[in-house]
Amino acid sequence: MSNYWKEILPVDRYEVCSRSRIQFDDLKVITLLYQPLVGARAYSLYMTLFGELSAGDSSHHSLMNHTQMNLQHIYEERKKLEAIGLLKTYRSSVDDERAFLYELQPVPKPEEFFQDDVLSVYLYGRLGKERYLEIKKRICLPQQKSFEAFDEVTASFNEVFHSLHQSEIRAGLNSEITGTAVHNPVDEKGNTPRFSHDEFDFDTLVKDLSSFIIPSEVLTEKMREAIHRLAFIYQITPLEMSSIVQQAYFRDDELTEKALRQEVQRWYKIEKPGQLPRLSERKQEPQKAQEDRKEQSPEDIMIQTFESISPRALLERYSEGGRAASADLRLIDSIMFDQKLPVGVINVLIDYVLNTNDMKLIHSHVEKIASQWKRKKISSVREAMALAKAEHQNYQAYKQQKKSTPNRNYQRNTNNVRKDKLPKWMNDQQPQQDGQKTANEKEDVTESEEKWLEEYLKGL
């Protein structure tokens, strides 16, 4: 999740709401059943959002201060809450300003939790048999908000987590995980984890079954969802699932979720004895990213780098792993919060100023350029790079004119003029844009423009 800067900024506003009232018993379920799955930080974020219910909007900057988590951690923990079914996120953009609406989801009853294939299996794997049964035995004894202006961007479960089979825990009887005194099915409108179906080839399963073996009407929408969930948890291929479905169907001459679940667990204990599925967070696949970079031009790679890296990481890269100065981080935070420039644009600004000022980040110079770019409505990395090149050409034209001016003091010191090292993306010869003049075509610089350039380029 290295591109979190593209998804969320400290200045973005957010508001917390819920369509149902969350009671004390619900928080107990969150603490005992969900915290082992999502971890302490995600649990802390949920409790903070719960405390801000109906409190009006606020900025993510204040949320960072309140939770003592940086923005990347907040984004990652928020995704866990979305994936596990405790949170839905909606995003709105008006006049280049983003707003988020965080909707806390209804907490399922303990009986519903333990009936859920995904949640109960992973909780068993996290806690172990004794603690799992202890918790199970112990725990089994608003304001309406308009969502019309928002698009749901909630992450699905298998976008954040993937299933591992490296547990040392031995699976006991099936009833230890799924058995309970209450057999009410989970409400379809509840907040159990949602799955995207792109990773399971359902067509292959259907072709292998054939309507002569199992009638097509048996595979209802509800049964398809159950097959997707069980295939994800136990890492079952479509052909393996086809055999399991047939066994479950022929046993009772009908296909039910309970029969399918039992057959899957029986198959798993035979195929992978002594193991239980484990939960793990998804990581970005580096191989595909490297292949994509090979097809890009050097400028496109630089643009992608500026868009994906954080300003802190960029400063630390120039420091060869050293920590970024706190004063520089405060400057970047101030620009981001006051000028509301995109992170990629701020990275271009940092790179430009460092390379043209002998690796010094002159704060007054950075603030002037940032305010100018905001007034010019620079909103993308490509625009920022083009403007920086144009400004550098203006500066070179200004120096060329100064050389031709009959000033003895100036002529005496021309050999001592510092030549700045430019960023690599500035040395590339780019085609001239429409209406852009070359250095030879530029008109004479007026006296007022010269004074402005002197003031603007003091840092150079």
Side-chain angles (χ1 to χ4, degrees):
M1 298 186 181
S2 59
N3 295 335
Y4 68 96
W5 287 99
K6 299 172 65 176
E7 303 293 335
I8 189 173
L9 292 173
V11 297
D12 292 340
R13 312 293 293 181
Y14 74 92
E15 187 176 355
V16 186
C17 68
S18 179
R19 304 193 195 202
S20 61
R21 186 177 297 276
I22 299 177
Q23 307 290 347
F24 173 77
D25 289 341
D26 297 328
L27 298 181
K28 188 176 180 181
V29 171
I30 299 294
T31 302
L32 295 179
L33 303 184
Y34 280 92
Q35 184 178 197
L37 299 180
V38 298
R41 282 201 301 207
Y43 170 76
S44 174
L45 178 61
Y46 179 90
M47 297 302 292
T48 302
L49 295 177
F50 170 74
E52 294 185 350
L53 268 173
S54 305
D57 67 336
S58 184
S59 70
H60 284 83
H61 188 272
S62 64
L63 185 61
M64 293 165 61
N65 292 333
H66 193 85
T67 59
Q68 291 297 295
M69 286 191 285
N70 60 40
L71 197 62
Q72 179 179 3
H73 289 160
I74 289 177
Y75 178 74
E76 292 173 350
E77 304 310 318
R78 190 197 85 188
K79 289 293 185 183
K80 292 180 185 178
L81 295 177
E82 294 171 0
I84 209 71
L86 294 177
L87 182 70
K88 281 189 177 181
T89 300
Y90 301 86
R91 180 174 57 204
S92 171
S93 297
V94 179
D95 297 333
D96 296 330
E97 292 188 4
R98 286 184 303 197
F100 290 84
L101 186 61
Y102 296 143
E103 182 192 11
L104 300 182
Q105 294 300 289
V107 181
K109 296 178 181 179
E111 295 82 4
E112 295 174 343
F113 181 97
F114 288 107
Q115 282 290 316
D116 187 272
D117 296 311
V118 179
L119 301 178
S120 59
V121 168
Y122 286 131
L123 183 65
Y124 187 94
R126 285 287 170 87
L127 298 181
K129 176 181 176 180
E130 293 184 4
R131 179 63 175 169
Y132 177 88
L133 295 177
E134 176 190 344
I135 295 294
K136 183 178 179 180
K137 181 179 179 181
R138 184 200 312 174
I139 201 169
C140 281
L141 299 169
Q143 182 180 357
Q144 294 295 327
K145 185 71 182 178
S146 174
F147 294 83
E148 294 180 357
F150 294 85
D151 298 321
E152 185 175 352
V153 293
T154 306
S156 64
F157 185 87
N158 53 331
E159 288 176 348
V160 180
F161 300 105
H162 67 88
S163 191
L164 296 179
H165 299 153
Q166 300 174 351
S167 173
E168 296 286 334
I169 303 173
R170 292 189 170 273
L173 296 176
N174 295 340
S175 60
E176 292 175 356
I177 296 179
T178 58
T180 180
V182 180
H183 298 284
N184 294 331
V186 178
D187 184 3
E188 292 182 359
K189 297 182 180 180
N191 64 330
T192 54
R194 301 182 311 159
F195 287 78
S196 58
H197 298 166
D198 299 335
E199 298 182 358
F200 185 81
D201 190 354
F202 209 94
D203 292 336
T204 300
L205 181 146
V206 173
K207 290 178 182 177
D208 191 65
L209 284 177
S210 174
S211 60
F212 294 102
I213 301 175
I214 295 180
S216 57
E217 58 268 17
V218 171
L219 297 177
T220 62
E221 190 65 31
K222 189 175 181 180
M223 188 57 61
R224 285 171 175 259
E225 181 67 23
I227 291 174
H228 276 293
R229 292 160 67 90
L230 291 169
F232 171 79
I233 298 170
Y234 295 95
Q235 296 292 281
I236 303 175
T237 66
L239 295 179
E240 291 171 337
M241 181 59 77
S242 171
S243 175
I244 294 172
V245 170
Q246 293 177 49
Q247 292 292 334
Y249 177 78
F250 291 138
R251 179 173 289 106
D252 302 318
D253 202 24
E254 64 174 349
L255 187 63
T256 63
E257 289 187 53
K258 181 179 179 181
L260 181 63
R261 186 187 307 115
Q262 291 175 345
E263 191 61 39
V264 166
Q265 292 172 347
R266 186 179 295 109
W267 171 89
Y268 191 82
K269 291 177 70 174
I270 296 174
E271 294 293 326
K272 301 177 182 179
Q275 297 184 13
L276 194 70
R278 298 295 299 273
L279 192 65
S280 175
E281 293 181 50
R282 282 189 182 273
K283 303 298 181 184
Q284 188 176 8
E285 299 180 5
Q287 185 64 31
K288 187 176 185 303
Q290 292 177 3
E291 293 175 357
D292 293 340
R293 289 173 70 91
K294 290 180 181 179
E295 301 176 357
Q296 295 176 327
S297 65
E299 183 178 3
D300 290 335
I301 293 175
M302 182 61 68
I303 291 174
Q304 184 177 357
T305 301
F306 283 141
E307 289 179 342
S308 60
I309 196 173
S310 69
R312 176 195 288 267
L314 180 62
L315 288 173
E316 292 177 350
R317 178 177 294 183
Y318 273 112
S319 301
E320 297 183 353
R323 295 183 62 181
S326 57
D328 294 342
L329 295 178
R330 285 196 298 270
L331 170 67
I332 294 170
D333 185 71
S334 174
I335 293 173
M336 189 179 300
F337 194 79
D338 297 336
Q339 302 296 344
K340 298 181 180 180
L341 289 175
V343 175
V345 174
I346 294 177
N347 285 332
V348 176
L349 194 158
I350 293 171
D351 190 69
Y352 173 60
V353 173
L354 286 176
N355 281 279
T356 55
N357 286 274
D358 196 24
M359 291 297 143
K360 291 181 292 187
L361 199 63
I362 303 174
H363 289 203
S364 60
H365 188 46
V366 172
E367 290 172 346
K368 288 181 180 179
I369 297 179
S371 61
Q372 183 214 21
W373 288 9
K374 181 62 178 179
R375 288 192 295 270
K376 284 182 171 289
K377 295 180 172 58
I378 301 300
S379 59
S380 69
V381 171
R382 195 177 296 275
E383 292 175 349
M385 292 170 63
L387 181 58
K389 292 178 183 179
E391 293 293 348
H392 184 71
Q393 290 176 353
N394 288 339
Y395 179 56
Q396 295 298 325
Y398 167 72
K399 289 201 302 183
Q400 188 66 30
Q401 185 185 15
K402 294 289 287 184
K403 285 183 180 180
S404 61
T405 302
N407 187 322
R408 294 182 180 178
N409 293 331
Y410 177 79
Q411 291 177 350
R412 199 163 42 238
N413 296 324
T414 53
N415 294 330
N416 297 326
V417 173
R418 175 168 60 86
K419 295 183 179 180
D420 296 315
K421 180 182 178 182
L422 297 177
K424 292 181 180 180
W425 50 268
M426 272 199 156
N427 292 323
D428 296 336
Q429 296 297 327
Q430 298 294 334
Q432 296 288 333
Q433 297 179 358
D434 295 339
Q436 184 178 359
K437 299 179 180 180
T438 64
N440 295 331
E441 295 172 338
K442 290 184 180 295
E443 299 177 353
D444 294 337
V445 181
T446 64
E447 184 177 355
S448 60
E449 289 174 337
E450 182 175 328
K451 289 182 178 179
W452 183 87
L453 279 172
E454 288 179 344
E455 176 66 22
Y456 177 76
L457 299 169
K458 273 184 179 180
L460 300 175

